[in-house]
């Protein structure tokens, strides 16, 4: 296997490259090189500078990428680049990468191990497992799993993310500042959540284990079945006005 350039050499070369020298393939050799160098965007857009060398984020407001679904990660990069998901810093990082670059860096982060703590000391909030049918709130577990590890492609793991980050995303979904969900699924899902419920969900997810427990498939299937059995009003609510 060809040895990768050292991190120092990558960053030095990327930092010195000018706008007319960003087409060099050295900075996009593979997903790891892109994550460490910023690809054609240069060192100021290197993924690791915010998400860490291990892809676990900063534990405060920057999310973990390690171990997340590659397809989900690639979609987010595409959405950032196309301004479907608004974030100035991520737009700058993603816009320099072409489709293959985004796929490569997404695959690299997906393959990283996600470190996990001992797990939550409290059970999930009731709204996570059962929703709140009277307000049209479906069970979060139906899509994200009983412990937040995700349920199949398109329903990403949300366990182990910083509480501040999760709370910010829930608020963005609720107010329409984030809209890159297929068929408005997330916008509808959070429309009836209260601020207290969002705080509880975010705090609990921060402590949830990032690796699926042995019975996650059965637990997730059970949660999905329970959510599907709820009245129609609990599975779809009006999307907030834009």
């Amino acid at each position: 296997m060809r040895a990768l350039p050292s991190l120092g050499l990558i960053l030095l070369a990327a930092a010195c490259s000018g706008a007319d020298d960003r087409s060099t393939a050295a900075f996009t050799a593979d997903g790891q090189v892109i994550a460490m160098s910023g690809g054609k965007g240069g060192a100021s857009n290197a993924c690791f500078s915010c998400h860490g060398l291990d892809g676990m984020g900063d534990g405060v407001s920057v999310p973990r990428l390690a171990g997340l679904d590659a397809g989900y990660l690639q979609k987010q990069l595409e959405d950032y680049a196309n301004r479907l998901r608004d974030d100035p810093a991520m737009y700058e990082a993603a816009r320099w990468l072409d489709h293959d670059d985004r796929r490569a860096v997404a695959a690299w982060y997906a393959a990283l191990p996600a470190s996990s703590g001992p797990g939550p000391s409290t059970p999930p909030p009731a709204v996570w497992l059962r929703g709140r049918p009277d307000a049209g709130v479906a069970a979060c577990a139906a899509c994200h799993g009983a412990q937040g590890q995700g349920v199949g492609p398109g329903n990403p793991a949300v366990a182990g993310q910083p509480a501040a980050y999760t709370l910010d995303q829930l608020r963005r979904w609720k107010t329409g500042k984030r809209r890159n969900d297929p068929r408005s699924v997330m916008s509808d899902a959070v429309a009836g959540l209260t601020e207290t419920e969002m705080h509880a969900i975010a705090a609990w997810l921060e402590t949830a284990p990032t690796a699926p427990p042995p019975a996650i498939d059965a637990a997730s299937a059970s949660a999905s079945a329970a959510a599907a059995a709820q009245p129609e009003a609990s599975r779809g609510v009006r999307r907030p006005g834009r």
Side-chain angles (χ1 to χ4, degrees):
M1 179 181 293
R2 180 176 59 82
L4 291 175
S6 71
L7 177 59
L9 290 177
I10 290 173
L11 297 182
L12 177 61
C16 294
S17 63
D20 57 355
D21 190 37
R22 282 174 169 161
S23 62
T24 175
F27 302 140
T28 57
D30 58 33
Q32 183 178 18
V33 171
I34 295 168
M36 299 303 160
S37 72
K40 299 181 184 72
S44 62
N45 293 307
C47 310
F48 91 94
S49 62
C50 290
H51 295 282
L53 291 171
D54 57 0
M56 290 299 293
D58 67 355
V60 181
S61 60
V62 178
R64 76 170 174 97
L65 306 180
L68 297 185
D69 178 73
Y72 171 78
L73 290 174
Q74 183 177 351
K75 180 185 185 303
Q76 301 314 300
L77 286 171
E78 302 285 353
D79 289 352
Y80 282 127
N82 293 310
R83 294 188 182 276
L84 295 177
R85 182 173 177 181
D86 184 43
D87 185 280
M90 282 304 304
Y91 168 71
E92 283 300 318
R95 74 185 184 94
W96 292 103
L97 307 179
D98 63 24
H99 179 78
D100 290 338
D101 295 338
R102 294 168 194 153
R103 180 170 56 188
V105 76
W108 186 72
Y109 275 114
L112 288 179
S115 60
S116 182
S121 58
T122 59
V127 69
W128 179 270
L129 292 177
R130 298 188 292 275
R132 195 155 46 80
D134 62 311
V137 177
C140 308
C143 292
H144 295 290
Q147 295 295 315
Q149 285 86 13
V151 181
N155 298 311
V158 288
Q161 296 289 17
Y165 169 78
T166 299
L167 182 60
D168 178 61
Q169 296 307 302
L170 289 172
R171 287 170 173 167
R172 286 175 178 267
W173 288 119
K174 187 176 177 69
T175 60
K177 292 181 179 179
R178 181 174 174 183
R179 301 172 183 160
N180 68 321
D181 51 332
R183 301 183 304 280
S184 304
V185 171
M186 277 300 300
S187 299
D188 291 347
V190 304
L193 287 177
T194 66
E195 185 73 9
T196 298
E197 288 171 333
M198 291 192 292
H199 272 275
I201 288 170
W204 176 76
L205 283 174
E206 185 173 57
T207 67
T210 56
I216 187 62
D217 290 340
S220 297
S222 176
S224 298
Q230 292 176 357
E232 180 66 24
S234 71
R235 290 182 272 121
V237 296
R238 183 177 61 82
R239 186 177 184 176
R242 296 188 178 186

